[in-house]
Amino acid sequence: MLSILSALKKFNNKIKWLYSSINMDVKLSLILMLSFPFVTPIRWLMHPNTQKCLREELRQNVLVKGDYEIAPIEGQFMDYIVRDSKGHILANKQDITKGKFTFSTENYDMFEICFNSRVPGYQRGTLQEVSLNIKTGVEAKTYEGLGEVAKLKPLELDLKMLEDLSSSIVQDFSDMKHRAEEMRNTNESTSRRVHWFSMFSILCLFGLSVWQILYLRRYFKAKKLIE
């Protein structure tokens, strides 16, 4: 019982800190997100012999799970590949119809999953429906198995899930703050460079004007147009 009360207190303090550090618009979005925690798969139609890629930035040590389902069409084939910005392949499979993939990120990077449609040249292809459901972070964890291994009660398991969710949200806001600082530093650096470039341009124009005046003065004196 004491462990449950301690976990509740820790979770409550973390939520209070998070709630006090964000603005009203983000608070409303957060309330709506927690009130309706469902995930809708992405669906689209693939044209024959085309490729479609989905990209997302993920931080370090994030678990990613994906479920895909391809509408079967005779004579048409579908492949998928998951890779990072450096071209490292994290998961791939050919001639897919329905399945899952799982990987963990090692570094903060841009990751993409690409679906490639293949149709033989002698066959006329048709549109093929693709369904993809991707879960990351807390959504990708299986808490039922964790509860059985750690012998957690249902309430303790719910608290663990809420604690992980709050930690994930705090980390997301920390990453957003860090990126905002990087963008601000970049803007300030660019502003300073533009300032000094403008000063250099003004000095160059001023020097060119002085040189033109002296040159024209010597020219007119040589032609005896002025004394």
Side-chain angles (χ1 to χ4, degrees):
M1 186 66 181
L2 291 177
S3 62
I4 296 177
L5 293 176
S6 177
L8 276 172
K9 185 177 180 180
K10 182 179 179 182
F11 175 72
N12 187 39
N13 292 335
K14 188 173 293 186
I15 290 296
K16 285 182 178 179
W17 178 86
L18 174 64
Y19 195 75
S20 62
S21 63
I22 56 180
N23 56 35
M24 185 59 65
D25 293 336
V26 178
K27 288 177 182 178
L28 181 59
S29 300
L30 182 59
I31 292 173
L32 292 175
M33 181 184 67
L34 295 177
S35 300
F36 304 96
F38 57 85
V39 178
T40 303
I42 304 173
R43 298 179 184 272
W44 71 90
L45 296 176
M46 287 280 292
H47 290 271
N49 294 320
T50 59
Q51 184 182 71
K52 183 176 181 64
C53 296
L54 303 175
R55 297 179 178 87
E56 184 175 359
E57 286 184 340
L58 296 174
R59 62 176 182 269
Q60 187 178 11
N61 297 326
V62 175
L63 178 64
V64 181
K65 290 185 178 180
D67 300 326
Y68 58 85
E69 184 173 359
I70 314 298
I73 298 178
E74 186 177 357
Q76 294 190 193
F77 307 96
M78 188 76 67
D79 310 329
Y80 85 87
I81 182 171
V82 182
R83 56 197 170 197
D84 58 16
S85 62
K86 299 179 180 62
H88 299 151
I89 298 176
L90 305 176
N92 70 320
K93 192 174 182 181
Q94 296 181 344
D95 300 342
I96 59 175
T97 54
K98 185 178 182 180
K100 301 179 180 181
F101 61 86
T102 304
F103 67 92
S104 296
T105 61
E106 297 182 355
N107 300 297
Y108 179 86
D109 203 348
M110 176 72 73
F111 298 87
E112 68 174 7
I113 175 171
C114 296
F115 288 85
N116 184 33
S117 172
R118 294 184 292 109
V119 180
Y122 59 83
Q123 179 176 332
R124 182 179 180 181
T126 59
L127 294 176
Q128 195 168 17
E129 184 179 13
V130 180
S131 176
L132 176 64
N133 185 8
I134 296 181
K135 298 179 180 180
T136 60
V138 179
E139 295 178 344
K141 290 185 178 180
T142 305
Y143 286 91
E144 289 77 7
L146 177 63
E148 294 177 358
V149 173
K151 296 181 180 180
L152 299 177
K153 298 179 181 179
L155 182 56
E156 293 176 330
L157 189 62
D158 291 339
L159 289 175
K160 175 63 177 174
M161 183 175 63
L162 291 174
E163 183 181 1
D164 291 346
L165 179 60
S166 63
S167 300
S168 177
I169 295 173
V170 170
Q171 184 63 42
D172 288 339
F173 276 101
S174 177
D175 293 341
M176 291 172 61
K177 182 179 179 181
H178 179 67
R179 288 197 294 268
E181 291 177 354
E182 289 183 344
M183 293 178 64
R184 183 173 62 252
N185 293 336
T186 302
N187 290 336
E188 292 176 355
S189 176
T190 303
S191 178
R192 288 194 298 268
R193 293 179 181 180
V194 170
H195 171 74
W196 288 113
F197 180 76
S198 301
M199 295 295 295
F200 176 74
S201 300
I202 292 174
L203 291 176
C204 288
L205 292 175
F206 180 77
L208 181 61
S209 300
V210 172
W211 177 80
Q212 286 180 337
I213 292 174
L214 296 177
Y215 175 80
L216 291 174
R217 184 180 178 85
R218 288 196 301 268
Y219 176 79
F220 288 141
K221 278 188 177 182
K223 296 296 183 179
K224 297 181 179 181
L225 297 176
I226 60 173
E227 294 181 358

